[in-house]
Amino acid sequence: MKDLSQTWDVLVVGGGNAALCAAITAREAGCSVLLLEHAPKAFRGGNSRHTRNFRSMHEQPTDVLTESYLEEEYWDDLKRVTGGNTDEQLARMTIRASAGVTGWMRQSGVRFQPSLTGTLSLSRTNAFFLGGGKALVNAYYLTAERLGVTILYDTEVLALKMEDGFVRSADIAYRGYPETVRAKMVVAASGGFQGNLDWMREYWGDAVDNFVIRGTPYAKGKILKSLLGQGVAQVGDPTQFHAVALDARAPQFDGGIATRLDSVPFSIVVNRDGDRFYDEGEDFWPKRYAIWGRLIAQQPDQIAYSIFDQKCVEMFMPSIYPAKKANTIRELAVQLGIADPAKVEATVAQYNAAVRAGSFNPGKLDDCVTEGIMPPKTHWARPIDVGPFYGYPLRPGITFTYLGVRVNERAQVMMDDGRPAGNLFASGEIMAGNILGRGYLAGFGMTIGTIFGRIAGQEAAKNARN
Amino acid sequence: MPATETITIGAVTQIEALADARHFMEICNGCRYCEGFCAVFPAMELRREFADADLNYLANLCHNCQGCFYACQYAPPHPFGVNVPQAMAQVRAASYEQYAWPRPLARLFQGNGVVVSLATAGGLALVLLLSMLFRSTQMLTAWPVEPGAFYVVIPFPVMMWMGLLTFGYALVAMFMGARNFWRDAGTTGVATRAIGEAVWDILTLKNLGGGGDGCNDRDESFSMTRRYLHHFMFYGFMLCLAATTAGTVFHHFLGWVAPYSLLSLPVVLGTLGGVGLLIGTGGLFAMKFTDDPAPKARGLLGMDVAMLVLLALSALTGLVLLALRSTGGMGIALAVHLGVILALFVVLPYSKMVHGVYRGAALLRYAVERTGKPLGTE
């Protein structure tokens, strides 16, 4: 049993990228640091385990990034995806810092590589982690251990006890045993609440039972809730989350990247009732996959089916689960478990009749369109008429929630009265909503976590030693 | 030679091992985070579906650095339970048996540790018997280090023909195995450039580099230990072969008869090679005690250890012979060394040593494929 009675300089709540960056930084500054990770060692690292890259500003090509990616373009990208739902000052500070922090990341054991095969569109903007996010997490834990950060796994922080804007103590469950921990400074880096289905149920009702959570089940949002209940200022819409379309057979938690499906643009997608509900060919899949999670979440029973024919089988990577396969659409609908196969047959027939001949080209926004049906399919529309026919069931896969605590540029958590908390800092998904209030920008979550982790660690260390 | 239920690796049949590997490759192909570690993942990305022959190829391309295991978000206890190094080791071991030549001897890969040990014992016994047959009375006599001393114990023609026949057979059998492997995965043209790249990959063990910092020998941390130890073993073995070759040249073309002086080429090469082999095999053997069992395949330890011990014995008995060659122990030392070498040559095509042949062929295929365009590129 570790001696938990001492007063630590810095307590870090959480065990993902943002927590580790804060813990290592504070320890490098000479502080005694306690890091509490809810997950057991095998599942440590929160959602960072499933990440793969880091969006990095750079003025010239580097060993792993092509061309340049300057502040204005980065900011424009962010403004576009968030629809302005961001804090320009914090965002620009994060963007600027992303250029310089990779040196520290490398020093701390992170290894980069050029963009992965199939991710050419990110080769200019995103530095990929060699081996992915779990490799990054492993490297940071090794560094933290080497530096002497005290790390406890299987240790959930249940509540931070605040008085007059100061965190006085933390109630924790250390391998199930209740304990109290005291620290001069606290960094909250415990993520969002997408792993807490009961909390999500408050906004989404029983639909949550049909949600797949792509990442860690340990993102319970307990600290987020604890802080918001004690006068800490809130950012982000609590009802909102980022979601993509996944193979419906994905595990309820932790399925990560491999369960996604890329068949949508080459198929038609019908809902439980056999109706199409959105333009499958609106744009290239990498630009559209992020909206399909929400689209499916809004369908009855939160289920949809991607249906295509023999012509399209080789056009996308197969799912890790086998496609359902049948010689007729009706038979396929039965196999997919759709209640009204005749309706699916009618939908496909109607779609086929609406397809206008064009020159099919998966490499560009081609002229294969439908006419006279709603919704239309505006690219890559070809009749589904060459058996055998195939189908995948789809579910919404939740990546993260947007609700968070407000912070300032020193990563200090802000109180409702507009003043910063005395000894509380935040980094990572728990505060990402300040900057990414809506939408999604690949690799930007890791950038926010790293930059704010570093700042929180520095600021906590500075204050702890005053 | 299709995959079969009768080939087993520990408690796993070849069919099961292939099914595991196929399932893992399908998951890996949807993730691809490990693509920077080694050749296996870029080769995987050229495929959508994984036939048995593809998996045998990928398994032999895998150098077992374990980087992908520790980096894997789906590794056990995750419900997907992805364990690529373990699955690949099982498929690889089964492929040795599947491709072995001639077919009836393929069973020697079952319980291979025992087979190699028995072969070693047999080799020792045979050469000792032979030496007694030829010079029983003078076995324990001290001999001056003068030309022809060795051949009093075992006459030169006997030594030469036993060596040539067994080693020649081993080369033929391993070549036939490699041919089976190559044909199974689909014949393909080979450019000179590809040969150069494959040779470079073999000589540098680039794929034990884990993307730059080495293997995960026992945990998440990276280390070059295994790669360097393998270099000691590989180059030690090569130096020993070079020593033998030099001796042959001396004997046949220059008319110089062994034993040779301490500073002669065969003795210097052999001594360096022997020391290298001892360091390499000893180190790799010691690592077995600290390895993390999680990414390892059960049931392969016997094959591994038997080969390490046989190689170490080859080196050790050679060095002992060098030390004792002017004493009364020379006769026995020579007989023991030749017995071990005989065993090594005989079991070569039915031991862990074939990994080098199949891995070399896999690296050549990879070098040929490398220009291909991976699936899923934009």
Side-chain angles (χ1 to χ4, degrees):
Chain A
M1 173 81 200
K2 300 263 183 187
D3 174 24
L4 296 175
S5 63
Q6 76 176 95
T7 297
W8 303 82
D9 288 335
V10 179
L11 165 66
V12 177
V13 183
N17 169 58
L20 289 159
C21 287
I24 292 170
T25 303
R27 182 67 194 148
E28 282 172 342
C31 293
S32 62
V33 179
L34 175 66
L35 180 144
L36 301 179
E37 162 63 307
H38 183 187
K41 188 181 175 198
F43 292 118
R44 68 186 181 183
N47 272 357
S48 308
R49 289 190 331 113
H50 295 294
T51 64
R52 59 181 188 182
N53 57 31
F54 176 91
R55 186 168 285 253
S56 179
M57 179 183 127
H58 55 107
E59 289 175 354
Q60 54 217 359
T62 73
D63 54 342
V64 293
L65 291 162
T66 60
E67 300 172 49
S68 68
Y69 188 47
L70 303 178
E71 180 179 339
E72 284 313 308
E73 187 189 355
Y74 201 148
W75 165 243
D76 282 346
D77 285 344
L78 181 62
K79 219 164 41 176
R80 183 171 38 79
V81 301
T82 58
N85 203 331
T86 179
D87 177 322
E88 181 164 358
Q89 193 204 347
L90 296 183
R92 284 186 180 271
M93 183 188 79
T94 306
I95 290 169
R96 282 194 287 267
S98 74
V101 77
T102 49
W104 178 84
M105 294 170 77
R106 284 178 206 258
Q107 255 175 48
S108 305
V110 175
R111 300 188 300 162
F112 292 102
Q113 64 164 85
S115 75
L116 293 170
T117 306
T119 61
L120 201 61
S121 57
L122 294 171
S123 64
R124 188 171 63 87
T125 54
N126 288 45
F128 280 68
F129 312 132
L130 178 62
K134 189 173 170 189
L136 169 134
V137 164
N138 287 343
Y140 278 149
Y141 272 103
L142 280 173
T143 300
E145 279 166 19
R146 181 171 48 77
L147 293 172
V149 173
T150 302
I151 297 164
L152 298 182
Y153 299 107
D154 275 318
T155 304
E156 185 179 18
V157 181
L158 304 165
L160 295 176
K161 292 287 178 62
M162 294 189 77
E163 269 173 45
D164 308 325
F166 277 83
V167 179
R168 297 299 175 192
S169 66
D171 290 345
I172 72 168
Y174 171 67
R175 296 181 185 167
Y177 293 98
E179 294 277 350
T180 301
V181 167
R182 289 186 171 73
K184 293 182 196 163
M185 298 291 142
V186 175
V187 178
S190 46
F193 69 93
Q194 68 280 358
N196 188 334
L197 295 182
D198 286 335
W199 190 349
M200 301 255 286
R201 201 180 300 276
E202 291 176 22
Y203 313 117
W204 285 83
D206 290 337
V208 297
D209 293 325
N210 295 322
F211 291 171
V212 174
I213 311 303
R214 302 178 70 203
T216 179
Y218 296 97
K220 300 290 190 199
K222 281 206 177 150
I223 294 310
L224 179 58
K225 191 164 240 178
S226 162
L227 294 177
L228 294 179
Q230 296 179 86
V232 162
Q234 168 181 326
V235 292
D237 182 341
T239 69
Q240 297 302 300
F241 50 72
H242 176 261
V244 304
L246 295 184
D247 194 306
R249 295 161 288 184
Q252 192 180 15
F253 291 102
D254 249 342
I257 194 167
T259 57
R260 78 189 184 288
L261 259 183
D262 300 339
S263 60
V264 170
F266 305 111
S267 70
I268 62 165
V269 179
V270 301
N271 62 14
R272 180 196 67 184
D273 303 328
D275 293 316
R276 287 176 64 243
F277 53 89
Y278 198 82
D279 178 2
E280 300 89 350
E282 189 178 41
D283 205 340
F284 288 109
W285 187 237
K287 294 189 184 170
R288 277 294 165 268
Y289 75 88
I291 68 167
W292 276 83
R294 169 159 311 276
L295 289 171
I296 297 166
Q298 289 160 344
Q299 294 305 307
D301 292 348
Q302 298 72 49
I303 185 106
Y305 305 91
S306 172
I307 292 172
F308 52 98
D309 68 3
Q310 184 64 36
K311 293 195 293 290
C312 299
V313 168
E314 304 259 314
M315 314 228 63
F316 54 90
M317 284 305 300
S319 167
I320 61 173
Y321 303 97
K324 300 287 181 193
K325 180 177 172 184
N327 288 321
T328 64
I329 294 291
R330 178 182 287 262
E331 214 182 300
L332 178 67
V334 171
Q335 277 203 36
L336 286 167
I338 303 175
D340 187 354
K343 180 67 177 296
V344 178
E345 216 168 27
T347 300
V348 171
Q350 194 192 15
Y351 162 81
N352 285 349
V355 170
R356 294 292 161 260
S359 45
F360 178 77
N361 184 344
K364 62 174 206 180
L365 296 170
D366 71 4
D367 59 353
C368 293
V369 298
T370 59
E371 257 176 45
I373 51 167
M374 280 306 287
K377 185 172 179 186
T378 53
H379 303 99
W380 310 299
R382 291 192 295 178
I384 298 174
D385 55 5
V386 183
F389 302 99
Y390 298 86
Y392 288 115
L394 303 172
R395 289 259 184 230
I398 317 297
T399 318
F400 58 84
T401 47
Y402 291 103
L403 179 68
V405 298
R406 183 173 297 285
V407 294
N408 64 13
E409 73 287 352
R410 294 169 63 197
Q412 287 174 297
V413 171
M414 304 301 289
M415 305 301 291
D416 277 331
D417 61 12
R419 285 186 308 186
N423 64 343
L424 177 61
F425 305 84
S427 61
E429 276 182 20
I430 196 172
M431 50 64 63
N434 286 269
I435 301 171
L436 190 73
R438 216 173 91 185
Y440 172 71
L441 196 56
F444 193 48
M446 289 301 276
T447 305
I448 296 173
T450 306
I451 301 307
F452 271 82
R454 293 273 292 144
I455 295 171
Q458 279 156 6
E459 292 292 326
K462 205 183 337 173
N463 286 287
R465 300 169 77 207
N466 272 348
Chain B
M1 309 152 285
T4 148
E5 291 280 349
T6 57
I7 298 180
T8 56
I9 314 98
V12 180
T13 69
Q14 186 184 24
I15 303 277
E16 290 166 339
L18 285 164
D20 275 351
R22 181 171 296 116
H23 181 52
F24 295 163
M25 286 293 99
E26 284 163 359
I27 294 173
C28 292
N29 220 355
C31 169
R32 302 186 168 186
Y33 287 6
C34 292
E35 137 187 321
F37 280 131
C38 72
V40 171
F41 299 95
M44 167 195 83
E45 288 170 9
L46 295 168
R47 293 160 169 81
R48 285 174 65 89
E49 279 157 3
F50 301 93
D52 290 351
D54 293 322
L55 293 166
N56 283 340
Y57 158 56
L58 294 173
N60 280 289
L61 204 48
C62 168
H63 288 50
N64 202 17
C65 80
Q66 304 176 160
C68 63
F69 176 78
Y70 292 98
C72 183
Q73 58 187 317
Y74 303 119
H78 189 281
F80 288 179
V82 174
N83 191 336
V84 172
Q86 184 180 69
M88 289 306 184
Q90 287 168 343
V91 170
R92 195 162 54 237
S95 77
Y96 300 159
E97 187 169 336
Q98 185 185 343
Y99 295 128
W101 182 92
R103 298 299 308 143
L105 294 184
R107 299 302 293 172
L108 294 176
F109 278 104
Q110 294 291 324
N112 192 253
V114 177
V115 170
V116 171
S117 308
L118 287 178
T120 311
L124 279 174
L126 179 67
V127 178
L128 279 170
L129 276 174
L130 279 176
S131 56
M132 279 158 67
L133 198 69
F134 292 120
R135 279 289 169 174
S136 56
T137 53
Q138 286 161 302
M139 269 303 273
L140 294 174
T141 313
W143 289 87
V145 182
E146 63 185 28
F150 291 159
Y151 308 126
V152 173
V153 181
I154 299 279
F156 179 76
V158 177
M159 195 189 288
M160 186 187 75
W161 282 109
M162 277 176 66
L164 274 182
L165 286 175
T166 51
F167 192 59
Y169 171 79
L171 289 181
V172 169
M174 289 196 293
F175 174 80
M176 295 303 284
R179 203 175 72 137
N180 288 338
F181 170 74
W182 190 264
R183 286 185 169 175
D184 199 23
T187 49
T188 170
V190 177
T192 325
R193 187 187 150 79
I195 296 175
E197 285 178 15
V199 168
W200 179 252
D201 288 351
I202 293 166
L203 295 182
T204 59
L205 288 177
K206 182 176 144 197
N207 289 282
L208 279 183
D213 295 330
C215 312
N216 294 93
D217 290 333
R218 66 185 77 165
D219 58 21
E220 299 88 359
S221 61
F222 296 88
S223 148
M224 286 291 190
T225 310
R226 209 158 84 82
R227 186 180 186 179
Y228 291 158
L229 287 172
H230 193 285
H231 277 323
F232 270 109
M233 187 170 66
F234 176 82
Y235 288 104
F237 187 78
M238 287 300 162
L239 284 173
C240 291
L241 282 187
T244 310
T245 310
T248 310
V249 171
F250 277 21
H251 188 96
H252 283 282
F253 297 101
L254 303 175
W256 301 342
V257 178
Y260 303 111
S261 77
L262 286 178
L263 291 176
S264 65
L265 195 58
V267 174
V268 169
L269 290 174
T271 307
L272 286 176
V275 170
L277 259 178
L278 276 183
I279 294 173
T281 53
L284 288 169
F285 183 74
M287 285 182 71
K288 304 252 176 232
F289 293 95
T290 54
D291 275 346
D292 179 357
K296 292 279 185 294
R298 280 192 204 115
L300 294 183
L301 199 61
M303 178 193 271
D304 283 3
V305 169
M307 199 64 232
L308 285 175
V309 170
L310 186 50
L311 282 173
L313 279 179
S314 310
L316 188 66
T317 56
L319 292 172
V320 168
L321 172 60
L322 181 66
L324 299 185
R325 64 183 190 171
S326 58
T327 73
M330 185 277 272
I332 288 179
L334 178 65
V336 168
H337 181 56
L338 290 176
V340 171
I341 298 299
L342 180 68
L344 179 69
F345 285 177
V346 168
V347 299
L348 218 48
Y350 312 106
S351 74
K352 173 79 188 277
M353 286 297 272
V354 297
H355 82 278
V357 177
Y358 296 120
R359 185 155 297 143
L363 284 167
L364 181 59
R365 178 171 292 277
Y366 176 65
V368 171
E369 281 187 355
R370 210 167 339 198
T371 49
K373 190 171 146 65
L375 293 166
T377 45
E378 285 158 27

